[in-house]
Amino acid sequence: MKELTKEQQAELERQISLYQNGVVETIPENELRDKVERSIQTGMPLKIKLGLDPTAPDVHLGHTVVLNKLKQFQENGHIIQLIIGDFTGKIGDPTGKSTVRKQLTDEDVKVNAQTYFEQFGRVLDMEKVELFYNSEWLTPLNLEDVIRLSSSITVARLIERNDFSNRIATGKPISLHEFFYPLMQGYDSVALESDIELGGTDQHFNVLMGRHLQEHYGKEKQVVMLLPLLEGLDGVDKMSKSKHNYIGIDEPPNEIFGKTMSIPDELIVKYFNLVTDLPLEEKQKISAGLADETLHPRDAKVRLARTIVSMFHGEEAAAAAVEHFQTVFQKGALPEDIPSVEWKGASEVAIIELLVGLGMQSSKSEARRMIKNGGIRIDGEKVLDTEMLVSVTDGIIVQVGKRKFVRVKV
Amino acid sequence: MKELTKEQQAELERQISLYQNGVVETIPENELRDKVERSIQTGMPLKIKLGLDPTAPDVHLGHTVVLNKLKQFQENGHIIQLIIGDFTGKIGDPTGKSTVRKQLTDEDVKVNAQTYFEQFGRVLDMEKVELFYNSEWLTPLNLEDVIRLSSSITVARLIERNDFSNRIATGKPISLHEFFYPLMQGYDSVALESDIELGGTDQHFNVLMGRHLQEHYGKEKQVVMLLPLLEGLDGVDKMSKSKHNYIGIDEPPNEIFGKTMSIPDELIVKYFNLVTDLPLEEKQKISAGLADETLHPRDAKVRLARTIVSMFHGEEAAAAAVEHFQTVFQKGALPEDIPSVEWKGASEVAIIELLVGLGMQSSKSEARRMIKNGGIRIDGEKVLDTEMLVSVTDGIIVQVGKRKFVRVKV
């Protein structure tokens, strides 16, 4: 290869520092540099792979960590390969024991892929994305191919995988077919000749498998880039649908805004870094402001929430969400800790039923009186109609008088 | 089912005690009884499976243990299913590391199967045997089939297999594809709906796999019958080609006879029981005679050797072998312990070269003189031609004068 020109050298350094920012580990770093360098010299884009589970198409902020990284590659002319893991989805759980991994039809898979497509479109330019279904190359494999594939890996190495060694330690059975899931994911990289695969740090083993198998099949090995996991609203567990601690990117602006305001202060900087697309210097300024206390956490959070809403719903919606939040919560001076009360009744209910049902009023007549006196608010808005029907959704705030608040949990 | 008639009941008992004789373990015994009972009632024969390695077609006495058992089933009208494991043979060793498991061509497999067929024909009626190649049902399996197949078994259960746990204990790697060999062997029973599978006790895990997989695929489960392993001529290791301690059933009568005479006395009864087709009472009589010393071990061995030669070469050849043995060894009064000398020269050599090369004569002229004097014998036969060419095969006895003997080892 020829030497790089000065301009090319500068471009190489710019891309590398952009891609490396926020990444936990790049395996190995020198190959990332080699690939980007070659791409600059030849003008050939790199192929950046992301594998997707076909069963859980609800995209939340946790996904945006990797989507933002993909966007950086895309904006520099590289090709994004999204792979829907429909092969495993269509098999379901062959033991029939798990209801979670139920068998998907072709129709289910298409619908789920469409959902990904629409939601990812809020971050990526989907016209330039290459979409694949891995059943295309996994369905034709026969027993002989499978034996060659599995001859590439030892049982000990598979057991090393964290999940498997935990299960062996606790005596929980591992069915042999489970060993195939990482192999299939790895084989996707062989089929697509990916240059780089992205994944969360919890995907360490699976994404390295692609590199391993490419070598076994005599292909150029992909570089693996591991991204940090985003904690959910509870500040403890990884954000996920099953933990109910997520912010869906498809949720309404006020919902995203309110949920973002509820994250623990310690996560503010991490959310800025991983979720938002603010320039690096801006992120550093906010982090410094919080550290030396020139920036109040509440103000930082408003900035964060506004930025996130703006990413998925645009600037206008973001401004409206700020306005709404300030009207309802700040101007009304909501207390810091509002008790949650679970609502098990109908999702549409008369205001009087709701007040009594939540235990905020002892009788219907008392409730009716309080409404007439203007003492009842829902999400900060006064209720004056005693016959009003309330749509009970998770998180609505019911207020009686000046000091009695309840957050409804559905 | 109807009750058995008295005659049927007697027939059931007769067959069961015949089949159970000499078997180490039947899993489970009650199902063997059920299957035989049903066969007697319906007149439908049982299907008795034996799997064969396509790479090692040299049949020796060790194989006759299971062949004799198959013969018992065959003589009672049941169907023998011989399965050539050509699928694995044609794959070879996908890691390319083992030269032992080299890839076989279709032609190799056919030739090897033919060899089995001819040699098994010395014990079984091959016209009634059903011969299968397992590539027939293993080649069409695709990845989805493989995943369903492997979902039936846990990793822990596979590791339990003696060979695997030893290798894990000693840190020797197990490649994932090796887990498939027992599964494929077991799947053969699914494809053929076998009723009974025979195997040596060292095949315990593999033959039980057939039973396990038949259940997984909703078929009637096969009964597993484990037969004892026959020690080789050394009386220590299992008889096998690789240990050079075997008697091939294709060897010439005098060879079989001589080798049989060389087994340790402790194995005489076992060889009678496992290898010969003598009636049960006869075997018991011999065993009793040896126990109370009314039968000399040497005489018992002559009977054993004669019986074995007769099984594979007929009664006439057996009588000739006895005659030969007595002429050469007993009438010539061979000493009990003849030293072995290894011969590394050509397989055809002048008698004088041989005598000097073995160190039995110090010079060619001395050797020539001794021949002329009638002092040289090979396998008991006097050599008078000083130019004679000797075919040097393993075990020939070279004698100089009355007291100098050497057993040639090739």
PDB file of all heavy atoms in Angstrom, chain A residues 225-254:
ATOM      1  N   MET A 225     -16.289  -4.365  18.325  1.00  0.00           N
ATOM      2  CA  MET A 225     -16.331  -3.157  19.164  1.00  0.00           C
ATOM      3  C   MET A 225     -17.445  -3.313  20.196  1.00  0.00           C
ATOM      4  O   MET A 225     -18.616  -3.464  19.841  1.00  0.00           O
ATOM      5  CB  MET A 225     -16.553  -1.916  18.293  1.00  0.00           C
ATOM      6  CG  MET A 225     -15.401  -1.704  17.310  1.00  0.00           C
ATOM      7  SD  MET A 225     -15.563  -0.185  16.317  1.00  0.00           S
ATOM      8  CE  MET A 225     -14.939   1.048  17.476  1.00  0.00           C
ATOM      9  N   LEU A 226     -17.047  -3.273  21.459  1.00  0.00           N
ATOM     10  CA  LEU A 226     -18.009  -3.483  22.542  1.00  0.00           C
ATOM     11  C   LEU A 226     -18.404  -2.152  23.155  1.00  0.00           C
ATOM     12  O   LEU A 226     -17.548  -1.346  23.537  1.00  0.00           O
ATOM     13  CB  LEU A 226     -17.396  -4.393  23.605  1.00  0.00           C
ATOM     14  CG  LEU A 226     -17.012  -5.788  23.080  1.00  0.00           C
ATOM     15  CD1 LEU A 226     -16.273  -6.578  24.152  1.00  0.00           C
ATOM     16  CD2 LEU A 226     -18.245  -6.543  22.608  1.00  0.00           C
ATOM     17  N   LEU A 227     -19.701  -1.943  23.241  1.00  0.00           N
ATOM     18  CA  LEU A 227     -20.226  -0.672  23.744  1.00  0.00           C
ATOM     19  C   LEU A 227     -20.799  -0.854  25.138  1.00  0.00           C
ATOM     20  O   LEU A 227     -21.240  -1.948  25.502  1.00  0.00           O
ATOM     21  CB  LEU A 227     -21.308  -0.173  22.781  1.00  0.00           C
ATOM     22  CG  LEU A 227     -20.719   0.248  21.436  1.00  0.00           C
ATOM     23  CD1 LEU A 227     -21.737   0.173  20.328  1.00  0.00           C
ATOM     24  CD2 LEU A 227     -20.140   1.654  21.543  1.00  0.00           C
ATOM     25  N   PRO A 228     -20.790   0.211  25.931  1.00  0.00           N
ATOM     26  CA  PRO A 228     -21.282   0.078  27.312  1.00  0.00           C
ATOM     27  C   PRO A 228     -22.786  -0.182  27.335  1.00  0.00           C
ATOM     28  O   PRO A 228     -23.512   0.177  26.416  1.00  0.00           O
ATOM     29  CB  PRO A 228     -20.965   1.433  27.943  1.00  0.00           C
ATOM     30  CG  PRO A 228     -20.685   2.354  26.829  1.00  0.00           C
ATOM     31  CD  PRO A 228     -20.326   1.556  25.626  1.00  0.00           C
ATOM     32  N   LEU A 229     -23.227  -0.831  28.406  1.00  0.00           N
ATOM     33  CA  LEU A 229     -24.658  -1.060  28.593  1.00  0.00           C
ATOM     34  C   LEU A 229     -25.252   0.125  29.326  1.00  0.00           C
ATOM     35  O   LEU A 229     -24.634   0.685  30.232  1.00  0.00           O
ATOM     36  CB  LEU A 229     -24.872  -2.326  29.425  1.00  0.00           C
ATOM     37  CG  LEU A 229     -24.287  -3.599  28.798  1.00  0.00           C
ATOM     38  CD1 LEU A 229     -24.504  -4.789  29.726  1.00  0.00           C
ATOM     39  CD2 LEU A 229     -24.887  -3.855  27.432  1.00  0.00           C
ATOM     40  N   LEU A 230     -26.446   0.503  28.930  1.00  0.00           N
ATOM     41  CA  LEU A 230     -27.109   1.639  29.577  1.00  0.00           C
ATOM     42  C   LEU A 230     -28.024   1.123  30.688  1.00  0.00           C
ATOM     43  O   LEU A 230     -28.896   0.299  30.452  1.00  0.00           O
ATOM     44  CB  LEU A 230     -27.946   2.373  28.528  1.00  0.00           C
ATOM     45  CG  LEU A 230     -28.566   3.685  28.987  1.00  0.00           C
ATOM     46  CD1 LEU A 230     -27.474   4.743  29.154  1.00  0.00           C
ATOM     47  CD2 LEU A 230     -29.619   4.157  27.995  1.00  0.00           C
ATOM     48  N   GLU A 231     -27.817   1.646  31.900  1.00  0.00           N
ATOM     49  CA  GLU A 231     -28.719   1.284  32.978  1.00  0.00           C
ATOM     50  C   GLU A 231     -30.083   1.922  32.729  1.00  0.00           C
ATOM     51  O   GLU A 231     -30.189   2.994  32.139  1.00  0.00           O
ATOM     52  CB  GLU A 231     -28.197   1.775  34.343  1.00  0.00           C
ATOM     53  CG  GLU A 231     -27.017   1.012  34.866  1.00  0.00           C
ATOM     54  CD  GLU A 231     -25.697   1.604  34.390  1.00  0.00           C
ATOM     55  OE1 GLU A 231     -25.708   2.462  33.496  1.00  0.00           O
ATOM     56  OE2 GLU A 231     -24.650   1.179  34.920  1.00  0.00           O
ATOM     57  N   GLY A 232     -31.116   1.257  33.218  1.00  0.00           N
ATOM     58  CA  GLY A 232     -32.466   1.776  33.048  1.00  0.00           C
ATOM     59  C   GLY A 232     -32.822   2.812  34.094  1.00  0.00           C
ATOM     60  O   GLY A 232     -31.968   3.292  34.852  1.00  0.00           O
ATOM     61  N   LEU A 233     -34.106   3.187  34.133  1.00  0.00           N
ATOM     62  CA  LEU A 233     -34.588   4.259  35.004  1.00  0.00           C
ATOM     63  C   LEU A 233     -34.287   3.997  36.472  1.00  0.00           C
ATOM     64  O   LEU A 233     -34.126   4.925  37.257  1.00  0.00           O
ATOM     65  CB  LEU A 233     -36.108   4.418  34.838  1.00  0.00           C
ATOM     66  CG  LEU A 233     -36.571   4.683  33.399  1.00  0.00           C
ATOM     67  CD1 LEU A 233     -38.087   4.757  33.347  1.00  0.00           C
ATOM     68  CD2 LEU A 233     -35.932   5.962  32.865  1.00  0.00           C
ATOM     69  N   ASP A 234     -34.201   2.714  36.833  1.00  0.00           N
ATOM     70  CA  ASP A 234     -33.912   2.371  38.232  1.00  0.00           C
ATOM     71  C   ASP A 234     -32.449   2.610  38.577  1.00  0.00           C
ATOM     72  O   ASP A 234     -32.073   2.569  39.749  1.00  0.00           O
ATOM     73  CB  ASP A 234     -34.294   0.907  38.508  1.00  0.00           C
ATOM     74  CG  ASP A 234     -33.663  -0.050  37.502  1.00  0.00           C
ATOM     75  OD1 ASP A 234     -32.826   0.408  36.683  1.00  0.00           O
ATOM     76  OD2 ASP A 234     -34.007  -1.233  37.516  1.00  0.00           O
ATOM     77  N   GLY A 235     -31.616   2.837  37.563  1.00  0.00           N
ATOM     78  CA  GLY A 235     -30.201   3.096  37.821  1.00  0.00           C
ATOM     79  C   GLY A 235     -29.430   1.854  38.218  1.00  0.00           C
ATOM     80  O   GLY A 235     -28.256   1.927  38.596  1.00  0.00           O
ATOM     81  N   VAL A 236     -30.057   0.680  38.147  1.00  0.00           N
ATOM     82  CA  VAL A 236     -29.409  -0.548  38.603  1.00  0.00           C
ATOM     83  C   VAL A 236     -29.247  -1.532  37.441  1.00  0.00           C
ATOM     84  O   VAL A 236     -28.135  -1.830  37.019  1.00  0.00           O
ATOM     85  CB  VAL A 236     -30.225  -1.216  39.738  1.00  0.00           C
ATOM     86  CG1 VAL A 236     -29.543  -2.513  40.187  1.00  0.00           C
ATOM     87  CG2 VAL A 236     -30.391  -0.249  40.900  1.00  0.00           C
ATOM     88  N   ASP A 237     -30.378  -2.018  36.919  1.00  0.00           N
ATOM     89  CA  ASP A 237     -30.311  -3.030  35.877  1.00  0.00           C
ATOM     90  C   ASP A 237     -30.133  -2.404  34.499  1.00  0.00           C
ATOM     91  O   ASP A 237     -30.507  -1.260  34.263  1.00  0.00           O
ATOM     92  CB  ASP A 237     -31.603  -3.854  35.879  1.00  0.00           C
ATOM     93  CG  ASP A 237     -31.671  -4.760  37.090  1.00  0.00           C
ATOM     94  OD1 ASP A 237     -30.638  -5.388  37.411  1.00  0.00           O
ATOM     95  OD2 ASP A 237     -32.740  -4.817  37.741  1.00  0.00           O
ATOM     96  N   LYS A 238     -29.585  -3.213  33.599  1.00  0.00           N
ATOM     97  CA  LYS A 238     -29.516  -2.851  32.185  1.00  0.00           C
ATOM     98  C   LYS A 238     -30.924  -2.511  31.699  1.00  0.00           C
ATOM     99  O   LYS A 238     -31.887  -3.201  32.056  1.00  0.00           O
ATOM    100  CB  LYS A 238     -28.959  -4.062  31.426  1.00  0.00           C
ATOM    101  CG  LYS A 238     -28.953  -3.919  29.921  1.00  0.00           C
ATOM    102  CD  LYS A 238     -28.519  -5.229  29.241  1.00  0.00           C
ATOM    103  CE  LYS A 238     -28.812  -5.171  27.752  1.00  0.00           C
ATOM    104  NZ  LYS A 238     -28.556  -6.464  27.069  1.00  0.00           N
ATOM    105  N   MET A 239     -31.028  -1.433  30.908  1.00  0.00           N
ATOM    106  CA  MET A 239     -32.345  -1.059  30.400  1.00  0.00           C
ATOM    107  C   MET A 239     -32.917  -2.186  29.548  1.00  0.00           C
ATOM    108  O   MET A 239     -32.258  -2.665  28.622  1.00  0.00           O
ATOM    109  CB  MET A 239     -32.251   0.220  29.567  1.00  0.00           C
ATOM    110  CG  MET A 239     -33.603   0.692  29.044  1.00  0.00           C
ATOM    111  SD  MET A 239     -33.516   2.265  28.133  1.00  0.00           S
ATOM    112  CE  MET A 239     -33.372   3.460  29.466  1.00  0.00           C
ATOM    113  N   SER A 240     -34.112  -2.629  29.875  1.00  0.00           N
ATOM    114  CA  SER A 240     -34.734  -3.672  29.056  1.00  0.00           C
ATOM    115  C   SER A 240     -36.233  -3.650  29.239  1.00  0.00           C
ATOM    116  O   SER A 240     -36.749  -3.185  30.257  1.00  0.00           O
ATOM    117  CB  SER A 240     -34.187  -5.051  29.407  1.00  0.00           C
ATOM    118  OG  SER A 240     -34.766  -5.502  30.611  1.00  0.00           O
ATOM    119  N   LYS A 241     -36.891  -4.178  28.217  1.00  0.00           N
ATOM    120  CA  LYS A 241     -38.344  -4.204  28.248  1.00  0.00           C
ATOM    121  C   LYS A 241     -38.830  -5.047  29.421  1.00  0.00           C
ATOM    122  O   LYS A 241     -39.767  -4.680  30.129  1.00  0.00           O
ATOM    123  CB  LYS A 241     -38.843  -4.796  26.932  1.00  0.00           C
ATOM    124  CG  LYS A 241     -40.216  -4.297  26.574  1.00  0.00           C
ATOM    125  CD  LYS A 241     -40.799  -5.073  25.408  1.00  0.00           C
ATOM    126  CE  LYS A 241     -42.290  -4.809  25.330  1.00  0.00           C
ATOM    127  NZ  LYS A 241     -42.965  -5.808  24.488  1.00  0.00           N
ATOM    128  N   SER A 242     -38.163  -6.184  29.628  1.00  0.00           N
ATOM    129  CA  SER A 242     -38.654  -7.106  30.647  1.00  0.00           C
ATOM    130  C   SER A 242     -38.494  -6.544  32.061  1.00  0.00           C
ATOM    131  O   SER A 242     -39.203  -6.926  32.969  1.00  0.00           O
ATOM    132  CB  SER A 242     -37.944  -8.456  30.532  1.00  0.00           C
ATOM    133  OG  SER A 242     -36.548  -8.285  30.695  1.00  0.00           O
ATOM    134  N   LYS A 243     -37.577  -5.596  32.246  1.00  0.00           N
ATOM    135  CA  LYS A 243     -37.378  -5.025  33.587  1.00  0.00           C
ATOM    136  C   LYS A 243     -38.282  -3.803  33.814  1.00  0.00           C
ATOM    137  O   LYS A 243     -38.238  -3.206  34.887  1.00  0.00           O
ATOM    138  CB  LYS A 243     -35.918  -4.596  33.772  1.00  0.00           C
ATOM    139  CG  LYS A 243     -34.918  -5.733  33.775  1.00  0.00           C
ATOM    140  CD  LYS A 243     -34.781  -6.355  35.162  1.00  0.00           C
ATOM    141  CE  LYS A 243     -33.709  -7.437  35.146  1.00  0.00           C
ATOM    142  NZ  LYS A 243     -33.724  -8.259  36.345  1.00  0.00           N
ATOM    143  N   HIS A 244     -39.040  -3.399  32.816  1.00  0.00           N
ATOM    144  CA  HIS A 244     -39.919  -2.225  32.925  1.00  0.00           C
ATOM    145  C   HIS A 244     -39.170  -0.982  33.363  1.00  0.00           C
ATOM    146  O   HIS A 244     -39.703  -0.169  34.114  1.00  0.00           O
ATOM    147  CB  HIS A 244     -41.060  -2.508  33.912  1.00  0.00           C
ATOM    148  CG  HIS A 244     -41.889  -3.676  33.507  1.00  0.00           C
ATOM    149  ND1 HIS A 244     -42.734  -3.662  32.423  1.00  0.00           N
ATOM    150  CD2 HIS A 244     -41.990  -4.914  34.033  1.00  0.00           C
ATOM    151  CE1 HIS A 244     -43.315  -4.834  32.293  1.00  0.00           C
ATOM    152  NE2 HIS A 244     -42.887  -5.627  33.259  1.00  0.00           N
ATOM    153  N   ASN A 245     -37.938  -0.852  32.939  1.00  0.00           N
ATOM    154  CA  ASN A 245     -37.146   0.317  33.355  1.00  0.00           C
ATOM    155  C   ASN A 245     -36.626   1.062  32.132  1.00  0.00           C
ATOM    156  O   ASN A 245     -35.543   1.607  32.141  1.00  0.00           O
ATOM    157  CB  ASN A 245     -35.984  -0.129  34.252  1.00  0.00           C
ATOM    158  CG  ASN A 245     -34.992  -1.018  33.488  1.00  0.00           C
ATOM    159  OD1 ASN A 245     -35.256  -1.394  32.345  1.00  0.00           O
ATOM    160  ND2 ASN A 245     -33.876  -1.316  34.108  1.00  0.00           N
ATOM    161  N   TYR A 246     -37.442   1.053  31.072  1.00  0.00           N
ATOM    162  CA  TYR A 246     -36.951   1.571  29.800  1.00  0.00           C
ATOM    163  C   TYR A 246     -37.716   2.806  29.327  1.00  0.00           C
ATOM    164  O   TYR A 246     -38.829   3.082  29.768  1.00  0.00           O
ATOM    165  CB  TYR A 246     -37.010   0.491  28.728  1.00  0.00           C
ATOM    166  CG  TYR A 246     -38.404   0.147  28.256  1.00  0.00           C
ATOM    167  CD1 TYR A 246     -38.881   0.587  27.016  1.00  0.00           C
ATOM    168  CD2 TYR A 246     -39.249  -0.615  29.052  1.00  0.00           C
ATOM    169  CE1 TYR A 246     -40.152   0.267  26.586  1.00  0.00           C
ATOM    170  CE2 TYR A 246     -40.535  -0.939  28.634  1.00  0.00           C
ATOM    171  CZ  TYR A 246     -40.977  -0.485  27.403  1.00  0.00           C
ATOM    172  OH  TYR A 246     -42.236  -0.796  26.981  1.00  0.00           O
ATOM    173  N   ILE A 247     -37.061   3.525  28.418  1.00  0.00           N
ATOM    174  CA  ILE A 247     -37.710   4.613  27.698  1.00  0.00           C
ATOM    175  C   ILE A 247     -37.760   4.190  26.231  1.00  0.00           C
ATOM    176  O   ILE A 247     -36.712   4.076  25.590  1.00  0.00           O
ATOM    177  CB  ILE A 247     -36.904   5.929  27.822  1.00  0.00           C
ATOM    178  CG1 ILE A 247     -36.750   6.314  29.296  1.00  0.00           C
ATOM    179  CG2 ILE A 247     -37.586   7.052  27.034  1.00  0.00           C
ATOM    180  CD1 ILE A 247     -35.872   7.545  29.532  1.00  0.00           C
ATOM    181  N   GLY A 248     -38.951   3.913  25.745  1.00  0.00           N
ATOM    182  CA  GLY A 248     -39.094   3.507  24.339  1.00  0.00           C
ATOM    183  C   GLY A 248     -38.935   4.701  23.435  1.00  0.00           C
ATOM    184  O   GLY A 248     -39.451   5.786  23.744  1.00  0.00           O
ATOM    185  N   ILE A 249     -38.239   4.526  22.297  1.00  0.00           N
ATOM    186  CA  ILE A 249     -38.029   5.700  21.444  1.00  0.00           C
ATOM    187  C   ILE A 249     -39.295   6.045  20.683  1.00  0.00           C
ATOM    188  O   ILE A 249     -39.391   7.089  20.044  1.00  0.00           O
ATOM    189  CB  ILE A 249     -36.825   5.540  20.479  1.00  0.00           C
ATOM    190  CG1 ILE A 249     -37.097   4.487  19.410  1.00  0.00           C
ATOM    191  CG2 ILE A 249     -35.560   5.213  21.244  1.00  0.00           C
ATOM    192  CD1 ILE A 249     -35.980   4.455  18.374  1.00  0.00           C
ATOM    193  N   ASP A 250     -40.274   5.165  20.784  1.00  0.00           N
ATOM    194  CA  ASP A 250     -41.551   5.405  20.116  1.00  0.00           C
ATOM    195  C   ASP A 250     -42.587   6.019  21.061  1.00  0.00           C
ATOM    196  O   ASP A 250     -43.717   6.290  20.665  1.00  0.00           O
ATOM    197  CB  ASP A 250     -42.076   4.056  19.612  1.00  0.00           C
ATOM    198  CG  ASP A 250     -42.631   4.185  18.210  1.00  0.00           C
ATOM    199  OD1 ASP A 250     -42.258   5.146  17.518  1.00  0.00           O
ATOM    200  OD2 ASP A 250     -43.429   3.316  17.824  1.00  0.00           O
ATOM    201  N   GLU A 251     -42.200   6.264  22.311  1.00  0.00           N
ATOM    202  CA  GLU A 251     -43.168   6.800  23.271  1.00  0.00           C
ATOM    203  C   GLU A 251     -43.445   8.283  22.990  1.00  0.00           C
ATOM    204  O   GLU A 251     -42.631   8.972  22.357  1.00  0.00           O
ATOM    205  CB  GLU A 251     -42.623   6.621  24.698  1.00  0.00           C
ATOM    206  CG  GLU A 251     -42.516   5.138  25.090  1.00  0.00           C
ATOM    207  CD  GLU A 251     -42.205   4.959  26.576  1.00  0.00           C
ATOM    208  OE1 GLU A 251     -43.111   5.251  27.399  1.00  0.00           O
ATOM    209  OE2 GLU A 251     -41.088   4.552  26.916  1.00  0.00           O
ATOM    210  N   PRO A 252     -44.599   8.797  23.476  1.00  0.00           N
ATOM    211  CA  PRO A 252     -44.937  10.208  23.236  1.00  0.00           C
ATOM    212  C   PRO A 252     -43.934  11.141  23.923  1.00  0.00           C
ATOM    213  O   PRO A 252     -43.327  10.763  24.935  1.00  0.00           O
ATOM    214  CB  PRO A 252     -46.319  10.363  23.879  1.00  0.00           C
ATOM    215  CG  PRO A 252     -46.787   9.002  24.232  1.00  0.00           C
ATOM    216  CD  PRO A 252     -45.614   8.100  24.266  1.00  0.00           C
ATOM    217  N   PRO A 253     -43.764  12.338  23.402  1.00  0.00           N
ATOM    218  CA  PRO A 253     -42.758  13.284  23.919  1.00  0.00           C
ATOM    219  C   PRO A 253     -42.841  13.487  25.437  1.00  0.00           C
ATOM    220  O   PRO A 253     -41.816  13.418  26.121  1.00  0.00           O
ATOM    221  CB  PRO A 253     -43.076  14.578  23.169  1.00  0.00           C
ATOM    222  CG  PRO A 253     -43.714  14.123  21.897  1.00  0.00           C
ATOM    223  CD  PRO A 253     -44.464  12.863  22.216  1.00  0.00           C
ATOM    224  N   ASN A 254     -44.060  13.726  25.968  1.00  0.00           N
ATOM    225  CA  ASN A 254     -44.169  14.008  27.406  1.00  0.00           C
ATOM    226  C   ASN A 254     -43.739  12.814  28.251  1.00  0.00           C
ATOM    227  O   ASN A 254     -43.203  12.960  29.347  1.00  0.00           O
ATOM    228  CB  ASN A 254     -45.608  14.397  27.774  1.00  0.00           C
ATOM    229  CG  ASN A 254     -45.952  15.770  27.237  1.00  0.00           C
ATOM    230  OD1 ASN A 254     -45.057  16.543  26.869  1.00  0.00           O
ATOM    231  ND2 ASN A 254     -47.249  16.069  27.162  1.00  0.00           N
TER     232      ASN A 254
END
